[in-house]
Amino acid sequence: MVIIRVALSIPKRQLFDYLYEGPALAPGVRVAVSFGPRKLIGVVWETSDKSEWDVSKLKSIEAVLDDEPIFNPTLLKLCGWLAQYYKHPIGDVVQTAMPVALRKGESSQAKPIEYWTLSNVGQSTDLSSLSRAPKQRALLTLLQEKDLLKSKAKSDFGAAAVKGLTEKELITSIEKRPSKESTWQQDLLIQDKPIANVEQAIAISCIEAKLNQYSCFLLDGITGSGKTEVYLQAIEQVLNQGKQVLILVPEIGLTPQTVHRFKYRFGIDVGILHSGLNNNERLQVWQQSASGQLGIIIGTRSAIFTPMLKPGLLIVDEEHDASYKQQDGLRYHARDLAVMRAHEENIPLVLGSATPALETLNNALNGKYQHLKLHERAGNASLATQHVFDIRQQQLKFGVAQGMLDRMSQHLQQGSQVMLFINRRGYAPALMCHQCGFVEHCKRCDNPYTVHKQLFKLQCHHCGSAKTIPKNCQQCQSNELTSMGVGTEQLEQGLASHFPQYSSIRIDSDSARGKNKLDKMLSSINNNEHQILIGTQILSKGHHFPNVTLVLILDLDGALFSADYRAAEHLAQLITQLAGRAGRAEKPGEMWLQTHDPGHPLLQDLINNGYAHFAQYALLERQHANLPPYSFQALFKAQALSARDAFDFLQQIGQLFSTADNVYCLGPIPALMEKRQGQYRMQLLLQSPQRSALQKAIGQQINKIETLNLANKVRWSLDIDPQDFS
Ligand code: ADP
Ligand code: ZN
Ligand code: ZN
C-alpha cells in the first residue's frame, strides 16, 4: 500500500492523498477517485510512503485510466512551474493543460484514422475515363501511385471528389490505427521556395546554428518582410532531422490561408488546434502530436500544452498579440510559457513580430534573446507611407472627413481596394435625447448602450444585455432620440450611399461570427468581390490584402488619453499593423490617420520614425516611471455587489503586504471599468523592482488571503504580470 498524491481540479492549493495498491503509478497517469460525494478525475503527481493526514481515513484510488502517462516529465514540470509562478491551484493547472476529452475521462489511446484506398475496380481503371472530373482524376492518380491516403484527401481534393469516386466504387475508406512507422516523414516533399534575401539568410542561419539547444530569438521584421519565409526555411531543417515544430498564432490569425502555407511547402499533414474544434478533434491532434505522427502543429494559446514526441522548434508568431495572455482562471502568458518550455525541451524558440512587445524588445536589447532584424519588405513590395489628417473643425460624414472621401475615391477609381478601421462595432456608441440630453445606460455596468440598428436593439458591450430601441426618452418622453458617434454599421451604410458603384464588406465580431465566416469573407476580399473593407481589430491581424492601397484609420484619439500605461504601446502596434496591410504587392500604399491631435508626440514619432524608434522611447519612459519591464507587477482584483466589501477585502490584503521587503502596494482603487454586471470592481496593484521579491511575498501570504473572512463574500483573483487593467 502506498500513498498517491493526486492533482484534482478543486480550488485548493494542494495535492490530495489516496491509498493505492498495485503496480507502480507513474506521474502523469489519470486516476478516478471520489471526493466527498463526487467522482473526480485527477492526475497522479507523486507517490509517497507517508501522509500528513490520518492514513486510516484516506480513500483508495478507484480506477487507473491510463497505461502510460498523458503528460511527459517536461509537461509535468511546466505544470508545476505554472502553479508556483501564477500561484494557481495545481489541480486546475493540470486540467487547463489537458484536452477537455481527457478531463472527461476519454481514452488517451490514439483513435483510428480514416484512410482512402483503391477498390479492385479502381486499381485497373483507365484514368482517361475521368477526364471531365479533374479533381477525381488527380486523387485517383495519387492513389494509384501511393496506395493509401490519409483523411486529408477531403481537404486537398474536396469532399465532392471523394464522394464521386466512392459512388463510382473506385475507392473505399478504411479505418486504421496509424502505425508507428507511418509518420509524416515519408510525405515530406519540399516545394519551390524563394531565395532568401541577405537579412533573411542571416536570420535563418542564426536559428540553424542553435538547433538542438535552447536559445530564444526575436525575429523583428517589418510587416511583409518575410518573417514567415524565415520560419519556413528554419522549419525545413528541423523536419529534415525528423523533429517536430509547434507554432503558436493569435486567436483570429488562424485561417486556412495560414495553414495552407505550411501544408503546401512541406506536403505533410499539419495539426491544427483552435477554439472551433470539437473535443474529439482536439484530442486527436493532441494524440497524433504526442505519438510523433505530426511534423507541424499550429494552434492558438492553449496549443502550447501540446506534447511532442520529438520536439525540435517552437515559434510564436505575432508574439505581441494580446490573445496569448489568458484572462481568466489560470492567467498564464503563452509566450512566457513558450520560453520556459523551449528551455525545458532544450530547443530553440523564435518570437516573431513587426511590433514586438516592450517586454520582449527589452529582453532582446539586454541580450537575453538574440535580436534578428528584417528592415526591408520582401520581394518588390514597399511599405505604405504614413500620414496624419487633422480633423479639427472639419465636418465629418459618418465619421469620415471630406478630404479622406476624396482620397478614397482616387484609389477606388484606380481599381484598388480601400480599408477603413474603426474601433467600435454597431451603429453608434450611444443613444441620446435631443431635448434633455438623457443617454440610455446599462444600469448593471453604468455604461452607455451601443445602438445596433440592424438588430433594432440597444446592446451593452460589457455584459451583453440588450433591449429594443425605445421610441421615447425615459426622462422627458420626447421622441427626438438621436444616435451619437459612429460605429461600423453606420459607416458601412454611409459609404454604401456615398459610393453606390462599389461593394463594401464589414468585418467585425458581429459579422464574422459563425463557422468559416471569416475565411469566406477573407477570400471574397482577395477575389476582389468588394472594394471597400470596413472593420475593427480583426483587420489588423496579419491577413494579406494584396490589392489594398489605402488604409484609413478613423478614430483612435481616445487611446491617447487612456489611464492604462500600456495604451500607447498597443496603439502604436495597432497603427503599425494596420498600415502594414497596405501596399503588400507591387502597388505602393498609404495610410491616413484622422485625429484631433495631429501634433501629438507619440503619433509624430511613430509616423515619422517608425515603431522601433517609438518603442525605444517608450522603454525609456517605462524605465523612468519604474514600470514593467523595469519592474514586476501582480494585480489583485475583487468584485462584489457592495463596493465597500471589495474595497475592504483588498485593503486587508494590502495590509498583509505592508511589511514585505521591496514590494510596493498601490490601491485599492476602482478598476478602469468600475461597475460591470451589477458588481463593483476594485483593484490592488503590487509592484517590485525584483521578480523574486514579489514572488516570495505573494507565496508567503496567499494562504492567509484565502482565510480572510471577506474572501467568501467577494469574487477575487490574482493576476501575475497583468496586461489588462480594465
Ligand atoms: P511577414 O510574415 O513578415 O509578414 P511574409 O513571409 O508573409 O512576411 O512575406 C511577404 C510576402 O513576400 C509573401 O508573399 C512572401 O511569399 C514573399 N516573400 C518572402 N520572402 C521572399 C523572398 N526572399 N523573395 C521573394 N518573395 C518573398
Ligand atoms: Zn429626454
Ligand atoms: Zn452591461
Side-chain angles (χ1 to χ4, degrees):
M1 209 55 127
V2 289
I3 313 277
I4 301 283
R5 317 196 69 203
V6 181
L8 287 180
S9 183
I10 300 284
K12 286 240 156 84
R13 282 159 230 279
Q14 65 176 76
L15 294 162
F16 296 87
D17 292 2
Y18 286 87
L19 295 171
Y20 172 73
E21 199 172 358
L25 286 185
V29 162
R30 287 175 304 155
V31 290
V33 296
S34 53
F35 187 85
R38 291 194 288 159
K39 301 268 179 240
L40 295 178
I41 289 171
V43 169
V44 173
W45 193 255
E46 59 193 12
T47 303
S48 172
D49 50 12
K50 50 183 182 293
S51 172
E52 51 184 289
W53 307 97
D54 180 356
V55 174
S56 66
K57 293 207 175 121
L58 292 183
K59 292 182 189 166
S60 291
I61 288 199
E62 295 183 357
V64 177
L65 304 187
D66 302 306
D67 298 334
E68 284 174 28
I70 59 164
F71 291 114
N72 59 32
T74 309
L75 282 170
L76 283 174
K77 205 164 166 192
L78 288 175
C79 286
W81 176 79
L82 284 166
Q84 190 270 329
Y85 184 75
Y86 290 102
K87 312 290 176 227
H88 199 77
I90 180 67
D92 203 50
V93 170
V94 169
Q95 290 275 319
T96 307
M98 68 170 110
V100 177
L102 293 185
R103 291 178 212 167
K104 291 184 171 163
E106 296 253 332
S107 162
S108 58
Q109 286 290 314
K111 292 217 168 47
I113 298 181
E114 188 176 37
Y115 284 86
W116 301 96
T117 185
L118 292 176
S119 66
N120 286 339
V121 190
Q123 275 166 6
S124 52
T125 294
D126 183 5
L127 287 167
S128 60
S129 67
L130 292 171
S131 59
R132 273 196 274 150
K135 287 223 166 127
Q136 294 186 16
R137 183 180 164 147
L139 177 51
L140 200 71
T141 312
L142 199 64
L143 278 173
Q144 289 188 344
E145 284 163 9
K146 237 186 161 173
D147 181 30
L148 269 185
L149 204 62
K150 270 184 241 160
S151 52
K152 68 173 177 171
K154 265 189 193 157
S155 57
D156 288 1
F157 297 92
V162 171
K163 193 164 168 245
L165 290 179
T166 311
E167 277 169 1
K168 292 185 191 123
E169 295 183 355
L170 296 176
I171 63 171
T172 52
S173 81
I174 50 169
E175 295 234 310
K176 211 177 116 158
R177 277 182 207 284
S179 71
K180 286 265 187 244
E181 298 85 63
S182 76
T183 62
W184 49 271
Q185 290 181 59
Q186 32 190 273
D187 292 340
L188 188 62
L189 180 72
I190 290 141
Q191 293 296 323
D192 282 351
K193 56 186 174 205
I195 297 171
N197 63 33
V198 173
E199 286 184 320
Q200 284 175 319
I202 292 172
I204 294 161
S205 59
C206 284
I207 299 168
E208 280 170 17
K210 295 286 172 67
L211 293 184
N212 308 315
Q213 59 182 289
Y214 168 73
S215 187
C216 183
F217 300 91
L218 169 58
L219 180 58
D220 181 357
I222 60 168
T223 52
S225 57
K227 293 184 288 298
T228 312
E229 188 55 41
V230 171
Y231 303 151
L232 286 165
Q233 298 200 20
I235 290 170
E236 184 180 328
Q237 303 299 319
V238 178
L239 294 178
N240 278 333
Q241 291 186 350
K243 293 191 176 169
Q244 297 166 285
V245 181
L246 174 62
I247 306 164
L248 298 189
V249 295
E251 214 73 78
I252 9 187
L254 189 50
T255 62
Q257 284 105 313
T258 312
V259 177
H260 184 76
R261 257 181 107 173
F262 292 92
K263 243 189 191 163
Y264 178 78
R265 174 67 63 90
F266 302 111
I268 59 175
D269 266 351
V270 170
I272 309 162
L273 288 164
H274 58 81
S275 51
L277 297 184
N278 67 33
N279 294 344
N280 231 333
E281 294 167 324
R282 196 166 257 282
L283 177 60
Q284 215 172 47
V285 175
W286 211 78
Q287 290 164 333
Q288 288 181 302
S289 176
S291 59
Q293 282 154 24
L294 287 171
I296 300 177
I297 303 97
I298 305 183
T300 50
R301 183 179 59 232
S302 64
I304 188 60
F305 294 109
T306 316
M308 287 184 276
L309 187 69
K310 290 186 187 167
L313 175 66
L314 281 180
I315 295 172
V316 179
D317 191 25
E318 309 288 356
E319 62 82 31
H320 64 279
D321 195 88
S323 70
Y324 289 126
K325 170 88 171 166
Q326 177 142 314
Q327 296 294 1
D328 54 13
L330 171 62
R331 293 169 160 79
Y332 69 99
H333 202 301
R335 177 188 61 220
D336 298 342
L337 184 54
V339 174
M340 293 306 290
R341 180 158 181 193
H343 203 269
E344 281 304 317
E345 307 263 25
N346 211 21
I347 56 173
L349 163 66
V350 181
L351 306 174
S353 177
T355 52
L358 293 184
E359 274 86 354
T360 309
L361 193 63
N362 185 48
N363 281 327
L365 295 175
N366 68 25
K368 256 172 124 177
Y369 302 164
Q370 203 173 329
H371 202 167
L372 307 172
K373 292 186 201 170
L374 308 177
H375 296 93
E376 306 283 329
R377 280 202 152 180
N380 299 322
S382 57
L383 209 56
T385 55
Q386 305 188 16
H387 318 265
V388 288
F389 190 83
D390 186 355
I391 51 169
R392 282 173 298 184
Q393 291 151 27
Q394 296 249 359
Q395 273 267 346
L396 300 183
K397 278 186 190 160
F398 36 86
V400 190
Q402 187 58 47
M404 292 292 98
L405 286 171
D406 297 343
R407 202 162 280 275
M408 279 182 71
S409 195
Q410 287 166 14
H411 282 260
L412 289 167
Q413 276 167 22
Q414 284 161 11
S416 296
Q417 289 170 319
V418 169
M419 185 175 118
L420 293 98
F421 170 88
I422 180 167
N423 69 357
R424 287 177 182 280
R425 62 195 170 83
Y427 185 83
L431 185 71
M432 189 190 250
C433 171
H434 194 59
Q435 285 296 326
C436 76
F438 177 81
V439 175
E440 285 278 346
H441 269 70
C442 168
K443 293 199 176 56
R444 302 168 72 205
C445 304
D446 270 351
N447 234 60
Y449 276 118
T450 302
V451 185
H452 287 256
K453 267 207 174 160
Q454 283 183 344
L455 302 169
F456 205 71
K457 285 239 151 76
L458 295 180
Q459 198 184 55
C460 171
H461 284 186
H462 297 292
C463 70
S465 71
K467 63 179 197 176
T468 312
I469 298 177
K471 292 207 170 56
N472 299 91
C473 171
Q474 265 187 47
Q475 189 163 277
C476 75
Q477 306 309 318
S478 146
N479 60 4
E480 284 183 75
L481 297 180
T482 53
S483 50
M484 302 286 296
V486 177
T488 46
E489 220 179 287
Q490 188 177 159
L491 180 62
E492 185 185 26
Q493 268 185 24
L495 289 172
S497 60
H498 192 87
F499 294 111
Q501 66 276 46
Y502 301 109
S503 159
S504 66
I505 181 167
R506 172 166 61 93
I507 303 188
D508 56 24
S509 55
D510 295 325
S511 70
R513 194 168 294 147
K515 212 178 170 199
N516 300 332
K517 219 154 161 215
L518 179 61
D519 299 325
K520 285 194 190 118
M521 292 171 128
L522 294 175
S523 26
S524 69
I525 292 171
N526 285 331
N527 293 336
N528 272 316
E529 287 166 38
H530 309 284
Q531 293 74 48
I532 302 174
L533 332 177
I534 299 162
T536 53
Q537 309 272 354
I538 299 184
L539 282 180
S540 70
K541 305 283 174 176
H543 308 297
H544 288 235
F545 300 119
N547 200 28
V548 167
T549 56
L550 173 65
V551 172
L552 187 52
I553 303 176
L554 292 191
D555 177 18
L556 285 175
D557 284 355
L560 294 171
F561 309 105
S562 169
D564 179 354
Y565 68 86
R566 290 183 200 272
E569 176 187 354
H570 293 155
L571 179 65
Q573 289 165 343
L574 179 62
I575 293 175
T576 308
Q577 293 287 345
L578 284 168
R581 304 306 116 211
R584 287 217 133 198
E586 259 86 287
K587 294 183 169 187
E590 53 181 341
M591 183 279 278
W592 284 86
L593 172 68
Q594 291 191 165
T595 174
H596 286 95
D597 197 354
H600 196 287
L602 186 160
L603 294 181
Q604 283 300 328
D605 187 23
L606 187 64
I607 278 167
N608 296 317
N609 308 318
Y611 182 82
H613 192 273
F614 154 82
Q616 288 214 341
Y617 180 76
L619 273 173
L620 268 181
E621 275 189 342
R622 295 267 185 99
Q623 191 167 23
H624 288 148
N626 279 324
L627 286 168
Y630 302 97
S631 65
F632 301 89
Q633 296 183 330
L635 186 70
F636 283 97
K637 301 184 188 180
Q639 59 178 55
L641 286 172
S642 127
R644 186 83 242 169
D645 284 348
F647 183 89
D648 288 348
F649 175 68
L650 290 178
Q651 197 164 47
Q652 286 169 16
I653 294 180
Q655 276 156 9
L656 291 177
F657 288 96
S658 58
T659 55
D661 271 349
N662 250 331
V663 173
Y664 309 95
C665 231
L666 242 104
I669 54 165
L672 289 183
M673 223 197 129
E674 204 175 333
K675 196 178 167 197
R676 185 171 186 162
Q677 299 193 320
Q679 302 246 332
Y680 288 90
R681 308 163 78 240
M682 298 276 171
Q683 299 179 344
L684 177 79
L685 185 68
L686 301 185
Q687 186 170 310
S688 172
Q690 292 130 12
R691 200 192 290 277
S692 55
L694 187 62
Q695 281 282 328
K696 185 171 154 216
I698 299 174
Q700 284 169 347
Q701 302 299 344
I702 192 82
N703 289 326
K704 272 186 223 152
I705 292 170
E706 271 164 352
T707 61
L708 293 176
N709 50 11
L710 276 170
N712 294 325
K713 261 182 114 174
V714 303
R715 274 183 57 195
W716 69 278
S717 62
L718 168 61
D719 191 353
I720 306 277
D721 304 328
Q723 292 283 324
D724 180 4
F725 294 84
S726 62

